[in-house]
């Protein structure tokens, strides 16, 4: 019987690359995001290309009731979830707290913290049965802070804390808990953060070689494919040109 991975936020970026990587390795997949058209297309493509099964979770992770009701109704053949990748997340805005936008703050807190909690709480009973593995996607922003990062960094510090808390609480159940903390990865992340401004978003990645989503998908797969007695607590992965959060060496051929 194939193993099953539920990855949140597969409609673009890191989650999408992780979904394809797991499918290539023979996992059946629960695909999640809010954009139904992308989910439908992705499900079709993954099934055709890799011959695995997919199940679509078109759910906004911010909505605790929607998440729990999806999990309550998950068909029996999809309940044996082996891997949960808590990836759905975003940054909104890049300014000082004084000029902070409450909608931006709420979106980040509700998605990156509460959304991750909703999904994790609902799935723990299923993961206990499989002795599964949770991989939380944090960030270098959860290890350090940078100018304009304030609330986003705060949410990712919370993910770092929750990653440790989950590991303590779930070890006895045989559930492994790991995190991946990336630096700058070129995805739709900056487009979302900068309210759809394509020029500004592209500028974030100018003059250095950023990470790509596949770099992080490879790391997630590495973590999950270790033998059962090995738990990678966390991996922090940066572009060579980004030695610290908010510090990028540009135009030096790196
Ligand atoms: P993308 O914007 O490319 O992807 C984000 C994904 O999250 C999309 O699939 C989006 O789907 C989904 N998502 C967002 N909000 C929700 C929601 N409320 N409910 C369900 N799904 C949601 O960004 P990345 O791939 O870069 O980001 C993935 C994760 O990686 C995030 O947690 C981010 O903080 C983290 N990260 C990113 C870094 C980077 O530089 N790119 C660096 C460090 C960490 P949809 O819009 O369809 O709902
Ligand atoms: C995003 C990482 O370095 O682009 O989580 O802010 S960074």
């Amino acid at each position: 019987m194939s193993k099953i991975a539920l990855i949140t936020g597969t409609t673009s970026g890191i989650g999408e690359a992780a979904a394809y990587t797991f499918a290539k390795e023979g996992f059946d997949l629960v695909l999640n995001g809010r954009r139904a058209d992308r989910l439908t297309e992705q499900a079709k493509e993954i099934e055709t290309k890799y011959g695995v099964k997919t199940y679509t979770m078109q759910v906004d992770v911010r909505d605790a009731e929607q998440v729990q009701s999806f999990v309550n109704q998950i068909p029996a053949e999809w309940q044996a979830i082996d891997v949960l990748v808590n990836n759905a997340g975003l940054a909104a805005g890049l300014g000082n707290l004084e000029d902070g936008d409450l909608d931006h703050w709420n979106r980040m807190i509700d998605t990156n913290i509460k959304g991750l909690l909703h999904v994790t709480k609902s799935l723990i009973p299923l993961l206990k049965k499989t002795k599964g593995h949770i991989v939380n996607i944090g960030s270098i922003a959860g290890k350090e802070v940078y100018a304009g990062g304030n609330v986003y960094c705060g949410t990712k510090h919370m993910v770092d804390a929750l990653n440790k808390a989950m590991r303590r609480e779930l070890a006895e159940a045989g559930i492994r808990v790991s995190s991946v903390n990336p630096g700058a990865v070129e995805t739709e992340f900056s487009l979302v953060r900068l309210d759809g401004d394509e020029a500004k978003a592209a500028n974030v990645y100018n003059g250095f070689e950023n990470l790509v989503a596949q770099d992080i998908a490879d790391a997630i797969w590495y973590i999950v494919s270790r033998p059962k007695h090995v738990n990678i607590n966390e991996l922090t992965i940066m572009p060579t040109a980004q030695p610290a959060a908010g510090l990028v060496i540009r135009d030096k051929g790196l």
Side-chain angles (χ1 to χ4, degrees):
M1 214 175 72
S2 296
K3 291 197 161 192
I4 301 173
L6 187 155
I7 303 171
T8 64
T10 61
T11 55
S12 82
I14 294 168
E16 178 171 50
Y20 280 83
T21 299
F22 276 73
K24 196 169 154 206
E25 298 292 344
F27 270 68
D28 292 331
L29 285 164
V30 183
L31 303 167
N32 161 258
R34 293 162 300 175
R35 287 169 286 185
D37 50 340
R38 288 205 189 187
L39 284 173
T40 309
E41 226 172 89
Q42 182 173 64
K44 222 186 289 166
E45 192 177 272
I46 286 179
E47 290 188 0
T48 311
K49 199 164 173 189
Y50 299 108
V52 297
K53 291 193 233 99
T54 65
Y55 189 68
T56 297
M57 176 186 180
Q58 198 224 333
V59 165
D60 185 330
V61 298
R62 291 173 295 182
D63 186 333
E65 270 179 37
Q66 236 189 323
V67 171
Q68 188 60 61
S69 137
F70 173 85
V71 174
N72 291 345
Q73 288 170 41
I74 203 162
E77 67 270 28
W78 283 96
Q79 286 181 12
I81 292 169
D82 298 283
V83 177
L84 161 64
V85 182
N86 276 320
N87 164 76
L90 78 158
L94 191 61
N96 289 339
L97 286 174
E98 188 179 4
D99 308 314
D101 176 324
L102 289 189
D103 177 56
H104 282 168
W105 293 359
N106 286 330
R107 273 167 59 206
M108 291 188 277
I109 291 166
D110 290 349
T111 311
N112 301 355
I113 301 175
K114 290 161 81 177
L116 179 144
L117 285 168
H118 299 152
V119 175
T120 306
K121 176 177 161 58
S122 302
L123 284 174
I124 284 173
L126 299 183
L127 290 163
K128 280 188 169 168
K129 292 190 186 146
T130 57
K131 295 193 183 348
H133 198 152
I134 300 174
V135 182
N136 295 307
I137 307 304
S139 170
I140 189 62
K143 297 286 177 184
E144 304 173 25
V145 294
Y146 53 90
N150 44 59
V151 176
Y152 178 66
C153 294
T155 65
K156 289 297 183 177
H157 274 69
M158 180 80 171
V159 173
D160 192 44
L162 288 172
N163 185 57
K164 292 176 190 143
M166 283 180 207
R167 193 177 311 117
R168 275 181 182 270
E169 288 185 14
L170 298 172
E172 216 164 285
I175 298 177
R176 291 186 282 174
V177 180
S178 310
S179 69
V180 182
N181 303 306
V185 188
E186 188 167 7
T187 60
E188 292 179 12
F189 178 84
S190 290
L191 200 60
V192 171
R193 176 173 231 172
L194 300 166
D195 291 325
D197 187 325
E198 289 185 14
K200 273 195 194 160
N203 229 13
V204 173
Y205 307 106
N206 271 347
F208 75 107
E209 190 168 352
N210 52 261
L211 297 172
V212 295
Q214 191 61 48
D215 295 322
I216 307 308
D218 289 345
I220 299 169
W221 177 252
Y222 174 78
I223 286 172
V224 165
S225 59
R226 291 312 86 209
K228 202 71 191 164
H229 69 288
V230 178
N231 188 69
I232 309 284
N233 284 0
E234 53 184 83
L235 288 177
T236 298
I237 303 173
M238 304 291 283
T240 303
Q242 188 187 9
L247 176 61
V248 174
I249 298 162
R250 297 182 200 263
D251 305 324
K252 300 274 185 204
L254 295 174

